[in-house]
Amino acid sequence: MRISVARTLAMVVPSKSAAFYNKKPRATSSAFDPACRDCPRLAAHLDRIKREHPDYHARPVAPFGPANAELLVVGLAPGLHGANRTGRPFTGDDAGILLYEALHGHGFANREGSSDPRDGLALIGCRVTNAVKCLPPQNKPQPDEIRRCNRYLAGEIAAVRPRAILALGAIAHRAVLMALGLAPGAWRFAHHAVYELPSVRLFDSYHCSRYNTQTKRLTAPMFEAVVRDIATFLRGPT
């Protein structure tokens, strides 16, 4: 289902996010912390993974890309053998293949990327992060973990000041709204939905996970169409 920008413009309601970009993130609470252990379940899970795989990153995964970017891509959380292993978002798993191919195809990356974080991949006007910075068991973060980690996403949006946000999946969609101080019920997640929020335009896509691509819930052309729309919005028609 595609929700047009014209339709979503009518859905904008006053909110505290209107002045969001005027607030500086508090370094003590909203700046990414590579040593964060605020979620006991996630911290214990990472400890177990580190014992089983001593060469894995197995810590909170930092955002990737320039500090000032017109596009912020928000995923769910690091994958066990992807970002949790390599320390770079969407690197080392199938989701990253589709994501970085599409970003490269529309000028947001200098190459398609690989499973090696030392591959020379650089993002252009784009930054990639996750709603939850640590690997959750079964790839399912609990609601309190999403809320606890949301201050990092809120601080990042305030610092990066993107013109567009791409939310990969319903959890990322709701996390973005939470970070902006918006009620999630007013803007429903749907693949290829576009919402004009105060200060930023939100684009939705199904997550580019292996499950979604294998079941054809999300195809490469479907995802590429979303990224193409974002590029058109930011740069105009080519």
Side-chain angles (χ1 to χ4, degrees):
M1 179 177 65
R2 174 73 184 276
I3 302 177
S4 69
V5 173
R7 178 181 173 185
T8 56
L9 281 171
M11 300 175 65
V12 174
V13 297
S15 77
K16 63 183 179 182
S17 70
F20 188 77
Y21 285 162
N22 295 326
K23 299 179 181 179
K24 293 183 178 180
R26 293 175 297 170
T28 56
S29 62
S30 61
F32 172 76
D33 181 2
C36 180
R37 294 179 65 86
D38 287 352
C39 299
R41 188 182 75 114
L42 300 188
H45 184 55
L46 288 181
D47 289 345
R48 288 193 296 270
I49 296 298
K50 193 67 174 178
R51 288 193 296 269
E52 296 169 4
H53 302 280
D55 58 331
Y56 276 28
H57 176 76
R59 295 189 301 277
V61 174
F64 172 52
N68 295 307
E70 289 196 306
L71 170 61
L72 180 66
V73 180
V74 182
L76 171 57
L80 173 58
H81 302 298
N84 179 69
R85 175 177 64 85
T86 64
R88 189 176 75 183
F90 290 90
T91 299
D93 53 21
D94 289 346
I97 296 174
L98 181 56
L99 174 63
Y100 290 126
E101 281 182 353
L103 292 178
H104 175 252
H106 289 280
F108 292 110
N110 68 334
R111 54 171 295 168
E112 294 183 352
S114 72
S115 61
D116 185 351
R118 300 163 297 181
D119 57 10
L121 172 65
L123 299 185
I124 304 165
C126 175
R127 189 170 172 88
V128 179
T129 190
N130 281 303
V132 176
K133 302 300 188 285
C134 295
L135 168 73
Q138 290 80 50
N139 293 322
K140 295 179 180 179
Q142 295 178 348
D144 65 309
E145 293 162 348
I146 298 170
R147 288 192 296 270
R148 197 173 293 121
C149 203
N150 196 252
R151 70 182 187 274
Y152 296 128
L153 181 59
E156 187 165 10
I157 293 173
V160 175
R161 301 170 64 93
R163 291 177 57 207
I165 295 177
L166 170 57
L168 301 178
I171 291 178
H173 169 93
R174 291 192 293 269
V176 169
L177 295 177
M178 186 190 307
L180 292 172
L182 296 171
W187 293 273
R188 299 289 185 180
F189 173 81
H191 179 73
H192 218 158
V194 181
Y195 293 113
E196 192 71 25
L197 305 178
S199 304
V200 69
R201 186 172 292 187
L202 175 63
F203 294 79
D204 282 344
S205 172
Y206 291 135
H207 195 286
C208 44
S209 65
R210 181 172 63 177
Y211 175 82
N212 282 343
T213 55
Q214 284 185 339
T215 59
K216 305 300 181 183
R217 187 185 193 196
L218 178 68
T219 65
M222 288 170 62
F223 186 66
E224 194 273 339
V226 175
V227 179
R228 182 180 63 241
D229 285 356
I230 295 171
T232 299
F233 164 64
L234 293 176
R235 302 165 183 164
T238 56

